[in-house]
Amino acid sequence: MARTASRNIGQSIPRLEAREKVTGRAEYVHHLRLPGMLYGKIFRSTVPHARIKSVDVSAAQALEGVYRVVTIDDIREAIPHPYYGPAFHDQPILADGKVRFAGEPVAVVLAADPHIAQEAVGLISAEYEELPAVFDEVEAMSSDVLVHDVLKPAATFPDLKHLAGRTGTNVALDYHLLRGDPEAGFAAADHVFEHTYRSQQVMHIPMEPFVSVADAADGRLTLHTASQSPSFVRIEIARLLGWPENRVRVKVPYLGGGFGGKLYIKLEALVTALSLVARRPVKVALTMEEQFFMVTRHPCTFTIKSGVNKDGTIVARTCKVVWNGGAYADIGPRVTQKAGFTSAGPYDIENVEIHSYAVYTNRPPCGALRGFGAPQTAWAYECHMDEIAEALGMDKVAFRRKNLLQNGRPQATGTIVQDAALEQALDQVADRLNWNEPLDRGDGRIRRGRGIAVGFKGITAPTTSVAIVNLYADGSCGLYISTVEMGQGSDTVMAQIAAEVLDMDAAAIKVVHPDTDVTPYDMGTLGSRSTFHMGTAVRLAAEDARKKIAELARELGLPEGSNLPLPELFRRKYGMQAGNIIGTASFIPKYEKPDAETGHSRNATPFWGVGASGAEVEVDTETGHYRITKLVNVADVGTALNPKLVQVQLSGAGIMQLGFTTTEEMVYRDGQLTNGSLADYKIPTLLDIPPEFINEHVDSEQKDGPFGGKGAGESTTIALSPAIGNALFDAVGVRLTDLPLTPEKIFRALCEANGTPLAGE
Amino acid sequence: MARTASRNIGQSIPRLEAREKVTGRAEYVHHLRLPGMLYGKIFRSTVPHARIKSVDVSAAQALEGVYRVVTIDDIREAIPHPYYGPAFHDQPILADGKVRFAGEPVAVVLAADPHIAQEAVGLISAEYEELPAVFDEVEAMSSDVLVHDVLKPAATFPDLKHLAGRTGTNVALDYHLLRGDPEAGFAAADHVFEHTYRSQQVMHIPMEPFVSVADAADGRLTLHTASQSPSFVRIEIARLLGWPENRVRVKVPYLGGGFGGKLYIKLEALVTALSLVARRPVKVALTMEEQFFMVTRHPCTFTIKSGVNKDGTIVARTCKVVWNGGAYADIGPRVTQKAGFTSAGPYDIENVEIHSYAVYTNRPPCGALRGFGAPQTAWAYECHMDEIAEALGMDKVAFRRKNLLQNGRPQATGTIVQDAALEQALDQVADRLNWNEPLDRGDGRIRRGRGIAVGFKGITAPTTSVAIVNLYADGSCGLYISTVEMGQGSDTVMAQIAAEVLDMDAAAIKVVHPDTDVTPYDMGTLGSRSTFHMGTAVRLAAEDARKKIAELARELGLPEGSNLPLPELFRRKYGMQAGNIIGTASFIPKYEKPDAETGHSRNATPFWGVGASGAEVEVDTETGHYRITKLVNVADVGTALNPKLVQVQLSGAGIMQLGFTTTEEMVYRDGQLTNGSLADYKIPTLLDIPPEFINEHVDSEQKDGPFGGKGAGESTTIALSPAIGNALFDAVGVRLTDLPLTPEKIFRALCEANGTPLAGE
């Protein structure tokens, strides 16, 4: 290919920020101290659902060194309607008369010394009138216990208007898709299978806990915040305050991981309110433990039913996906829609019906988490695929391959699939697992098995990205983008794209980090969109700069193609080292809103994220303990713009999903989180990484992506859990339907399968 | 006029930053503390000219809490050629083997505690081998004492190349202009007059002393600096370090006054070197006293000779202007050229010869100061005008009016004068003084008089300004410019210009302060150039944004002139509140470089600054004490874009020049400054402001300026000193030729005129 000659594209250029990070000089919000800054510490609800009778802050207020204790009544003086959220304006900045989950912020102590603030939090007490609570998403669908009295969708959120004012329900959003005639399909099918699978509640655990600093004064506000979506924060805070956007400045330095947790609006509403009330800069920095109360991943109950012919053709499928959104909607309704429309899996099925529900419960709120619901749906549809293949006696790879969506065929929405290397990814995993060779399955106590899975996801749409490329007089370059560098390497990839157009080295480009006063709009660093969306905006902005260079050369009377170095062009124009050439561009991909009734759309997603996984496991049948001896993830990332960065993205996402598959789970008793700390909630460590851990991309191209590229951050989260679940079944013949896949569950299932009573039962 | 209907132009819109400043929240570099930051305190030379034999830093280095003591040898490890300057690379970052003025930085102590650093400075000692020194500019022209061995003009500075390597002289630059045949003119004239006038050395005294913070690490540098020229600092520091521009970030928040002192490069080279050496952020903040050693205004000796006919027509004039540049050239050569070419005054003279010399001496360096030399030249030519009129028995206004340059006539360079309201300004001053009515001249001890003067200045050229206008999705606007808001009201005026084009309110525009990574290039906030230059760039950038709005409307299929509100346009384009419209423009005014031999240029200046002043004084003939009872300043500022801001600019410049005229003077004994503190060096206070103090602009228009506007910051500095000098002569009949005009000088002159011996003489 021509592009192999490029000095930027396809090159594993080291991260531009590597040195800064390794030397400890990279800037994070946690470092920031402003003159006169106060620290806010949060007093949280101890009950999951209650009316607040009273909050006694007098002892806290009396503690020496306490500046002020703030409740919702104080906040209302600064912000008359203190409710926020990306999809619904349902979340009060502090609890407002009611609490809806255990851990909800009720009051904040402000002090110059954070230790004093924390001490004062211990002096606050609240009296509650407890209310019945609901925690399970399926129960909540029909429960009399109502988490919210009335639905309050954001006016700015497209297509939720019809929900405004809806009462008497915990269902925040119901999404539906109908293709063909599933009932007729089931009736005509040789076999019908139905299963239900559950995903648990887990947390993002960014290594940098949530932190925001607000500095509000004189009708202006500056927010320094660990956010993935500075542009959104600006717009939502401006709405809360009734201010124009340009009086709200949102700055994001480096981010220590986000994974979807730091999207939309989190601590920003609270610190803004506190700064307005206190008339001082205010910082709120959560502890690792408090993060569990900020935002989590949706638990999900997914009932999937398929009609299948003898030859293995799937002819009909219905999906009922119920998403446990917790107490506040956050971006749950979007997850419901976006993961909803792909919940029948990457298969070519004539008759499909999907119902996907966002449901309120009395748990901590749930939002976006690496994959935006796709891992939960794939957990269901890919276990289901294996169960069907098993029942039909078909090879699991062959069964999938038979039904896989091919490029050029319509997905359930009607959108024609393009540039989705599903079969290639599946085949590559099978190859790395030596699928066609027999496996040593062991005998006696230790049994071995292998599993495979494939999945896909749509990308959030419509969204916009804007970029500015600024060429300085010595020919060096600044790139102004609101994409957040959160460890994924976006600075480097964006610089590579700009450098490729401008014919310079990526390392010579300075990426200016998000500052909404200066870097232009970007919808957010989320959902694998940056490389494709911002990457395209950067490419176009750099092309605009090139065009202006050519215009300048013409203006100076130079012959076409004279290729005078840029510094010399500037010197001729301005008589000295001076001036700029500024290229700008915005990008919004083609998109058609799905029909509200049928879910049909000819353009439901800008591109497809594709991942396939395979696992080999070794199970101790006496204890249920197991080892993953080999784990293979293969993703379609289009052209790998930076192969090394792609590799790190794929393995990082794989390790994260490994935790969600094997150990991680937020465990509750009566609505109280019992393991909300890293001592009890177990994330993977280096020792948990399988001895053979292969992460690869297929050789493909996203034709409308920048230099053929597309996102890589989520692909290997999609199919990993079912690959392991399927491998466990392959090893010991028991099917676990609920994540995580713990030794205890295997042990219990083995006992049940063997008819062995459990000790003590 | 149509523009009176504008809601922006011609309106006295309150300063956008007023609230921030009044509440004490405005950001200044002095507030900034970075983690791990060290403070640098300077050990200075105690002799005016010497070879350094040794510097003993051992005691300072041994003081507990001292991080490091730094000399030029340490700096050379980080910066091999540590010499800087805008016109000549003649200034070492710290003294390099030699000191050239008393007060020159020799070493710096770094410590986390600035008090410890200061204490350690007291423990440093140096041994010098003293050299003969030269302090007077005229002496230095022919002295054997050489301040520099060889001239080192900056390669980047236009038109100094021919000076490179010149040796054996203190003349850094000689500028010459010849028009007609002055010798023949003198020979034919009815009268020839020759006088010499002197201006003293004064200081800018910004209320915010010089301060810079450098944070250098990992091949990148961020400077937070109190600078009037962030773009220049970036380029010069990048040159010093051999780095590309985009690895040097220069940020300037609000500036507490500059007046030309904070131009080009000052502390920035030193803090950069210190941060590189220490590998820590470093702050250097001068005391008010230390400012006297940073940069000052040129003393000047000006011999002017005119041939005049009986009817008052000036037929020939020669000017020899010698500028005392101090030990380092700074921007002195530019002052020499720019104030040189107007030094024959705003008169229409057939035969003109000008010689203007920048001269090194062993004084603190001299640079730009509000007026860029024009006040020193006008002091000479306007006293001279009065002396001639007196000798001819002509009315002083009539004599000037007879000779004034009219629009359409060539100035000495050959540039045709346009939009210079010289006569209008002169007449308006005469009117406010009731020039045609007799004055009560008093008798006995108290005598009264009045004086008048007029002058003009050219504007630095060629220079470039670039602006970015960013429209956010709710229609609010950000303006990215590198113009420094230093109290002059530039934020407000630039917002007014953008708002006028965009049909919004100026107060709705957020001006983003200089940050070279994001705000585009501007040559500097200096020399009355911002309103005209950056104002035009802002106007063009806003027009570019308007054009893009119209394109967007067309793209959306809206009928021409549909005037859909901007937020709605964005919503239709992006489906939500998202996106940007970004307008950009650069501006470089027409300019023709003066011929090196003759000084001729058809376009020597982008526009003309014009000021006229008048004064009434009351002199106590027994003591020489005097009161200025009425002071009138009238300036041509084109259209007053914001009349209130213009008013404040005019009165501020007037008060500053009042100090330079009456009290301020840096006094030396053997090269040692004897009054380098505000206790001894007297700047004007409120009580020094004349009871009648009128500052006005004429009704005029700068046709190629933005909405008819041009700069207003320097005009009232030009003619004020000679107006007072002329009034004193008018009152008591003695002519003072040397500034400042102290009671002692008047008393001495009166004694001499009366033949009265001075007591004790």
Side-chain angles (χ1 to χ4, degrees), chain B residues 259-279:
Chain B
F259 314 113
K262 293 173 181 168
L263 277 172
Y264 307 106
I265 175 163
K266 294 294 184 301
L267 287 177
E268 294 88 356
L270 177 60
V271 291
T272 295
L274 294 172
S275 182
L276 283 168
V277 166
R279 298 167 183 266

Side-chain angles (χ1 to χ4, degrees), chain A residues 252-295:
Chain A
V252 181
Y254 287 112
L255 201 69
F259 313 114
K262 294 173 180 166
L263 277 172
Y264 307 105
I265 175 163
K266 295 292 185 302
L267 287 177
E268 294 87 356
L270 177 61
V271 290
T272 295
L274 294 173
S275 181
L276 284 168
V277 166
R279 296 166 184 268
R280 294 270 286 271
V282 172
K283 181 184 221 171
V284 175
L286 297 193
T287 62
M288 199 52 94
E289 290 73 22
E290 283 180 292
Q291 297 207 78
F292 288 93
F293 302 122
M294 178 55 87
V295 67

